[in-house]
Each structure stands twice: as structure tokens, then as C-alpha cells.
Amino acid sequence: MQIRMRRYLLCYGAALLALGVAIVIFTVAVDPYRMYGTPPIIGLTEIKPRIYEQAAMAKTYQLERTTVATIVLGNSRAEIGLDPDSSQWPEDARPVFNAALAGRGLFTSVRMLQHALAIHPLKLVVIGLDFPDFLVPQSNGPSPEIGPDELRLLVDRSGGPNGERARQLWRDRFNTTLTLDAVLDSLATVIGQNPSTGITMTLAGFNPLNNYRLEVRRNGHFQLFSQKDRTYREQLTNLPKPDFTNLDHNAGFRSLKSLLRITAENDIQTILFIHPYHARYLEIIHESGLWETFEAWKRAIVCLIASEADRRSTPIQLFDFSGYSDFTTEPVPLPNDTRTQMQWYWESGHYKSTLGERMLARIFHDTVAFGRTLDETNIEEALMEMRIARAAFLKKESVTELTN
């Protein structure tokens, strides 16, 4: 009896071990979050539809496996808008990695920059600045609590070696292999290999937003704009209106200052840009009573850049793409129009990489009449020109409504 029981337990244990090994081999081979850098198989594991379940993990480990000269930082607008594989990037700025993360503020950008510099030196950092990220209660309180996304970075907040890194690495290995989520996400990856509509992240960290293509084909841009505009209106209406008189009391500006100090210390060329919000988003800013705050925010950015100038060997460039232009006033298709594809925008808060191409062409080659540089000498002129352009846009919209 004891021999039989022993044999049963041995067989049972061997079966469990074999199953565990098979699961590990399967999940590592599929690599749904690009944790391991397993070479993708076209038609089987190339598209990663579940990667945004662990976006920070994916970008952290992908960045470590890539030798880059430039990184892009910011939130989803930068992650979706700037393609690292664009031909507009200068040769000496390549390879480029898009380290921007959706739903994250500039504090995360600071930490990703520190992580990148712990891997290898950088030549260029491009940082997208998003107005809502700075609409936070005035506070000089502590930074966010440390979570798993920080624990897996190579360095701690002071820039020293991260003592928790090894433990988090093993937690990540377990969570990406021997968990039900890992198995289900691996299966979803194998099943979801549609290159035109499948959610994915490129090896350079770019989100092509393929799922929005499917959404537009089903419901049209008008529906997508309307849905997102309701969300933006609710978001902006409930946010505070800081005056930016003391930048050290604003978490967004504290993080921006840290970013500029790090790039100065490491002699990295730094380019800041304000996103090209669609005119409908700009009107939501105005309707929410935030227009004066929006202008004060731009003045504060210019002021901070000027105050950091003496620390740097190369000047910081600031590009403002947020005005009313032929790009940002692109007409939204009519309701029930599911055929018309907008050229520049997915919806009012997120622009396509086609517009990102024009931005890069303006920044690096000055070949596109779009946006403008901002500094202390022209900020007031730029704000006035934007007010005039807005008045012209509203007048044109009124005429269009009367003639339709």
C-alpha cells in the first residue's frame, strides 16, 4: 500500500512538474508582455494584444534590451503620436525608444529617464507636456508611493542601485509564467494575431492604436469624438485651477524641473513640446474656465526653462503645437459616417502618428509650417496670436453652421 501511494505521489508530482515546465515554455515562447524578448513568430506571436495589461513592465524590459540614442517621454498622447521608426528622426538621434506610458504623469517620466541612463548614455530626450498633468492641488507633499513599476527599475529615486530589483525580477518571472493571467494572455496572444486591428506595442515602445481603427470602422469618428469629449469635459471641469505662482508647489512642475536637471547633468539635448490638441479639445478647455490657466501654464514652462538655462551647455527647445491651425481644426465627419477616415486625429485628445510626422519634420527639419517655438521673448505674442486664431476659427464655424 505504501509503495503504491509513493508511486502515485511520484507520478502526481512528476505530472505537476511536467505541466509547470510546459506552461513556462509556452508562456515564455509566446511572451505576451515582451518580458523575455523571445523572438516573435509572424502570424503566431508577433502581435501582442494583451501587452497593455503590463505596459510598464513591457517598456522597462524592452528598454534594457535596446541600445538607443533617444527616448520619448510623456503619457498616451506621446506614446500614440510619435513613432520611433519615423524617417523624420535625424540619423544621429537613432535608434529611438518611446518610453511614454498612458495614464502616467511626469514623475513616471523622471523614473524612466533614470532607468534609461542606468543602461547607457543618451543623446536626446523628447518630452511631451500635457496640460491636465499639471492641474493638481498645490502641495509640496511627498512623491507617490513606490510600487512594482518602480521596484523593477535598475536605480532608485536617488539614482543609486535599486536593492529591490532582484526580488521584483523574480516576482515578474513568476507572474508572467505560472499564473492563470499569464496563460490566458498567452492564449489571447496566439488567437489575436490580426495586424490591422490587433492591439500591440512595437519593439520600440510605440502604440499604433490599431483598436481605434476597428472602432472608427464600426461607429465612425463622430461617435468616438463625442464619447471622448464627454470624458474630457468631465475631467477638466473637476480639476483645480492652480495659478503656478510657486512652481515648487506643483507636482508636475517639480517633476519637469527634475527632468531638466537630469538632462543637464548628463549633457543631453532636450526638446519639450506641447501637444497639438484638436480645436474641440481647446474649446473644452475654454468652456471649463481654464483658458487663463492654460496660458499661465505656458508662461510658467517658459519661465522654468529660462531659470534652468545657466545649468546647461545646450539650450532647451520648447515647441508649442497647441494652436488653431489647418491640422488642429480638421473637420470631424458627420454622425453615421463610418467611411471617412480623419487624417490627423483619432479623437480630440489623441492625434495620429501622421500628425506626429509633421511635428518631427517641424522640430528637426523646419520643413512644415506647424507650431512654433516659445521663449521669454515671444510668449505673450504667441498667446495673443492664439486668441486671434481662435476668434477666426469660431467665426468660421458660425458661418459654416449658418450655411448648412
Side-chain angles (χ1 to χ4, degrees), residues 4 6 14 21 66-67 72 90 124 171 182 283 289 310 387 390:
R4 287 181 181 176
R6 190 176 301 146
V21 170
T66 310
T67 302
V72 176
L124 173 65
R171 284 191 286 266
E283 288 309 301
D310 291 342
R387 293 181 212 125
R390 176 175 181 266

Side-chain angles (χ1 to χ4, degrees), residues 114-176:
Q114 289 177 308
H115 179 67
L117 288 171
I119 303 166
H120 46 68
L122 296 170
K123 291 182 178 179
L124 173 65
V125 173
V126 178
I127 306 168
L129 302 179
D130 193 17
F131 177 51
D133 284 346
F134 294 78
L135 300 182
V136 293
Q138 302 291 83
S139 166
N140 356 331
S143 299
E145 293 184 4
I146 296 176
D149 291 346
E150 275 197 85
L151 293 179
R152 68 173 59 93
L153 301 181
L154 290 170
V155 292
D156 59 23
R157 294 179 181 181
S158 67
N162 179 10
E164 293 296 317
R165 155 83 176 196
R167 279 186 286 271
Q168 185 59 42
L169 180 59
W170 280 106
R171 284 191 286 266
D172 287 343
R173 286 169 177 164
F174 175 81
N175 290 332
T176 56

Side-chain angles (χ1 to χ4, degrees), residues 333-353:
L334 296 173
N336 301 319
D337 181 352
T338 58
R339 293 187 177 183
T340 302
Q341 296 287 321
M342 293 183 68
Q343 186 174 7
W344 311 120
Y345 285 87
W346 294 110
E347 33 83 3
S348 62
H350 290 88
Y351 49 96
K352 295 183 177 182
S353 60

Side-chain angles (χ1 to χ4, degrees), residues 169-208:
L169 180 59
W170 280 106
R171 284 191 286 266
D172 287 343
R173 286 169 177 164
F174 175 81
N175 290 332
T176 56
T177 54
L178 293 171
T179 62
L180 181 60
D181 284 344
V183 174
L184 293 177
D185 288 346
S186 295
L187 290 170
T189 299
V190 173
I191 295 169
Q193 291 296 303
N194 188 326
S196 61
T197 60
I199 298 170
T200 196
M201 179 191 295
T202 71
L203 290 170
F206 173 63
N207 181 359

Side-chain angles (χ1 to χ4, degrees), residues 198-220:
I199 298 170
T200 196
M201 179 191 295
T202 71
L203 290 170
F206 173 63
N207 181 359
L209 210 63
N210 291 338
N211 50 312
Y212 269 32
R213 290 192 177 91
L214 182 60
E215 180 71 20
V216 170
R217 284 209 296 265
R218 287 175 176 171
N219 302 309

Side-chain angles (χ1 to χ4, degrees), residues 93-109:
R94 300 179 191 176
V96 181
F97 187 86
N98 192 322
L101 282 163
R104 308 298 179 88
L106 285 179
F107 178 79
T108 298
S109 295

Side-chain angles (χ1 to χ4, degrees), residues 73-74 106 109 125-129 256 259-260 263 270-273:
L73 298 171
L106 285 179
S109 295
V125 173
V126 178
I127 306 168
L129 302 179
L256 180 55
L259 281 168
L260 299 183
T263 59
T270 305
I271 295 174
L272 309 178
F273 69 93

